[in-house]
Amino acid sequence: MTAMSRFVDIAEILDGGHDGERVAIRGWMYNKRSSGGIQFLMVRDGTGVMQCTLNRSSFDEETYNNVEKLPLESVVELEGVVKVDERAPNGRELSVNNVGGVIESQPDYPIIRKRHGVEFLLDNRHLYVRDPKLQSIFRLRAKFMEAARDWFREHGYTETQSPMFITAACEGGSTLFEVKYFDREGVYLSQSWQLYAEAMICSLGKIYTIAPSFRAEPSRTRRHLSEFWHLEVEEPWTDLDGIMKVGDELVTHIGHTLAREMPRELRMVGRDPEELLRLETPFPRITYDEAVEILQKDGVEMLWGDDFGWQQEGPLTRHFDLPFWVVGFPTGIKPFYHKPDPRRPEVTLSADLMAPEGYGEIIGGGQRIHDYDQLLERIHEDNLDPKDYSWYLDLRRWGTVPHSGFGLGIERVLMWMCKLDHIRDTIPFPRDLRRVFP
Ligand code: 4AD
Ligand code: MG
């Protein structure tokens, strides 16, 4: 063993930055095979995965045999020359002729490269997070957050936070998680920052947050988590139309950024980047009434006044290749804070953005009631206790302005943009009805 050259990131190599050069990499041995005097090691370093080949003729017998015996997930330092090779999984391979430090792992790594059941992989999530497909998704997730923050910064929004311990429901009592909070009863985990955001717009103007939200979702579905990451926006002097334009631009910017900056990761997880580059503002808008008609024509069970469930959103969104808004949901199926349409009070100035291809709701939002009496009336109608919302009502007494906002489910958008059939892999450690371990 001779001294190693400087270590480089695998991503740099795969991007073509070191073709023909002598470099060293270090990482985890994710997979391996050998045939006729050549070993093929798949090495993962956190930035990418690359094939490394070792020729028996380039090594002394002992080194070659020791490497051959290494169990999966052993950590290796390898030095060699970068070769462009069509046959290698990512078009490039490292032709190795020097092996540096090795940390041998135990021989019984539980995730072998055959198909495992979903529950087994979730039990071993602390190890399965190393899977190259998950690695690509988590990388896309990080880029997603970065792109969103860039968009908000460029458009003059301030990031702010709301408490996670709260005392009154924003999205209805049925999905509240109650928590033990010293000796106080009636303390819950936040479902949405919204009510606090409505206070903060009088301090900061246009604001956003990226934070966890919690929902005690009673059912296991492919698109619900009990803890999800919520990107929320709230702004004064903005109506329903204005806040939908924010959604159009933000989602388009995020989709384009992923497609331009991470095409390799997108392809790896199964999404053609070209499809995200086709996102274009403004997204089409249909009314709730039109959505009901489309569904009824398709023979899907749906009456005017019903809320959408998976059975409705699935078929509805398969009519579209790009996201679209459904506008004007009935007052009866939206929380108390939604402003009734002055021209037609049985519907609200609300809008949900639907992802196409069967994915369904990714954004929910709209214009808020800014009039004190109207808000109090809706609180009574929904059988809520005005005492629980006393501070929220106060906001309508001093300096109230028309305002709007929305919440975007980050995992929902990622699930669609990565073309996944389940939400669980969009987050490293998913939480649902049955799982809080590991
Ligand atoms: O439609 P929701 O319930 O709206 C609100 O919470 C508003 N207060 C937001 C606002 O106006 N500031 O939730 C917003 C979005 C949904 O469209 C969905 O994308 C996501 O949050 N979401 C979930 N994602 C994963 N798992 C769950 N259980 C989710 N519940 C909502
Ligand atoms: Mg909703």
Side-chain angles (χ1 to χ4, degrees):
M1 174 184 144
T2 52
M4 290 267 130
S5 338
R6 101 191 144 86
F7 291 106
V8 301
D9 286 347
I10 286 177
E12 269 180 33
I13 301 178
L14 297 179
D15 286 340
H18 297 282
D19 291 350
E21 287 175 22
R22 184 171 181 79
V23 296
I25 62 166
R26 57 184 155 191
W28 295 264
M29 198 175 75
Y30 147 72
N31 206 356
K32 62 169 189 174
R33 70 192 160 84
S34 47
S35 72
I38 305 185
Q39 295 181 49
F40 299 93
L41 311 184
M42 293 303 287
V43 176
R44 191 189 68 233
D45 75 345
T47 72
V49 188
M50 107 168 273
Q51 176 167 293
C52 304
T53 54
L54 281 74
N55 244 299
R56 188 186 286 279
S57 58
S58 319
F59 292 91
D60 61 81
E61 179 115 0
E62 193 190 345
T63 308
Y64 190 84
N65 291 343
N66 284 346
V67 172
E68 196 158 36
K69 277 187 285 195
L70 285 177
L72 293 183
E73 293 301 315
S74 293
V75 177
V76 289
E77 296 176 356
L78 302 172
E79 185 180 18
V81 175
V82 177
K83 299 216 162 124
V84 178
D85 187 336
E86 298 275 287
R87 292 163 303 174
N90 278 311
R92 287 180 172 76
E93 65 170 26
L94 189 68
S95 176
V96 179
N97 50 26
N98 186 21
V99 177
V102 165
I103 304 171
E104 190 170 334
S105 76
Q106 302 213 355
D108 44 4
Y109 188 63
I111 303 177
I112 45 179
R113 300 284 139 216
K114 68 170 170 75
R115 285 188 76 81
H116 292 286
V118 169
E119 293 303 317
F120 176 86
L121 290 175
L122 284 168
D123 287 339
N124 286 285
R125 190 74 172 183
H126 53 299
L127 302 173
Y128 187 48
V129 289
R130 306 173 183 194
D131 178 81
K133 180 168 179 188
L134 291 192
Q135 181 199 41
S136 293
I137 298 171
F138 301 154
R139 216 169 253 301
L140 287 159
R141 181 183 170 101
K143 182 60 76 181
F144 185 112
M145 305 279 193
E146 200 181 292
R149 289 200 164 94
D150 283 348
W151 189 89
F152 284 118
R153 191 179 53 243
E154 279 159 24
H155 291 85
Y157 291 74
T158 303
E159 182 168 1
T160 187
Q161 286 78 31
S162 70
M164 292 295 121
F165 293 121
I166 51 107
T167 55
C170 180
E171 298 301 312
S174 67
T175 59
L176 279 177
F177 273 112
E178 185 156 11
V179 289
K180 202 166 165 293
Y181 192 84
F182 306 109
D183 51 8
R184 238 197 105 132
E185 292 202 341
V187 177
Y188 311 95
L189 292 179
S190 172
Q191 300 164 306
S192 163
W193 82 326
Q194 182 191 322
L195 305 188
Y196 293 91
E198 290 181 58
M200 290 304 291
I201 55 171
C202 303
S203 168
L204 293 173
K206 299 196 291 186
I207 50 174
Y208 76 98
T209 203
I210 296 180
S213 279
F214 304 89
R215 305 276 169 107
E217 299 284 354
S219 51
R220 279 189 106 205
T221 74
R222 293 187 300 138
R223 55 181 195 152
H224 286 94
L225 294 166
S226 51
E227 176 182 311
F228 69 97
W229 280 72
H230 211 166
L231 183 162
E232 297 186 83
V233 191
E234 196 71 30
E235 47 186 81
W237 299 290
T238 297
D239 62 6
L240 176 64
D241 176 65
I243 206 67
M244 289 161 74
K245 286 183 176 142
V246 172
D248 289 342
E249 285 193 32
L250 177 68
V251 170
T252 302
H253 173 76
I254 292 170
H256 287 181
T257 304
L258 297 188
R260 288 198 189 110
E261 297 186 25
M262 299 201 131
R264 187 168 58 234
E265 281 80 357
L266 279 173
R267 276 189 212 101
M268 202 254 179
V269 302
R271 168 67 75 190
D272 178 356
E274 290 301 320
E275 289 165 357
L276 295 183
L277 288 173
R278 281 202 282 276
L279 290 176
E280 201 180 53
T281 61
F283 297 148
R285 302 176 179 187
I286 62 171
T287 61
Y288 170 87
D289 307 323
E290 287 165 337
V292 172
E293 265 175 43
I294 295 175
L295 285 167
Q296 289 176 342
K297 264 201 209 112
D298 280 3
V300 178
E301 205 175 314
M302 178 85 195
L303 292 177
W304 196 97
D306 289 348
D307 203 355
F308 291 137
W310 182 242
Q311 287 78 359
Q312 288 76 30
E313 285 178 24
L316 180 65
T317 63
R318 272 189 274 277
H319 284 276
F320 294 82
D321 296 329
L322 292 171
F324 62 98
W325 293 96
V326 178
V327 185
F329 287 84
T331 311
I333 55 170
K334 283 288 177 188
F336 67 98
Y337 53 73
H338 282 283
K339 186 174 166 65
D341 186 339
R343 292 162 308 181
R344 212 186 142 197
E346 70 276 18
V347 300
T348 49
L349 299 176
S350 58
D352 280 6
L353 185 65
M354 302 282 170
E357 305 167 345
Y359 284 100
E361 181 189 340
I362 50 176
I363 287 184
Q367 190 164 340
R368 324 302 192 188
I369 297 176
H370 66 281
D371 177 74
Y372 184 95
D373 294 325
Q374 190 176 29
L375 182 60
L376 188 60
E377 192 185 314
R378 286 290 294 116
I379 286 176
H380 283 302
E381 275 171 14
D382 277 13
N383 294 317
L384 300 168
D385 186 348
K387 278 210 293 298
D388 288 340
Y389 297 92
S390 61
W391 66 262
Y392 184 67
L393 279 156
D394 272 356
L395 304 174
R396 277 71 185 165
R397 299 167 72 186
W398 297 292
T400 188
V401 296
H403 61 286
S404 301
F406 66 68
L408 171 156
I410 291 179
E411 291 79 13
R412 291 266 184 97
V413 180
L414 275 168
M415 181 184 169
W416 156 55
M417 289 190 175
C418 296
K419 213 171 177 172
L420 306 178
D421 57 15
H422 200 291
I423 198 167
R424 68 168 82 85
D425 286 342
T426 58
I427 185 163
F429 294 94
R431 294 291 179 248
D432 68 14
L433 186 61
R434 299 213 314 241
R435 197 162 283 277
V436 281
F437 178 92

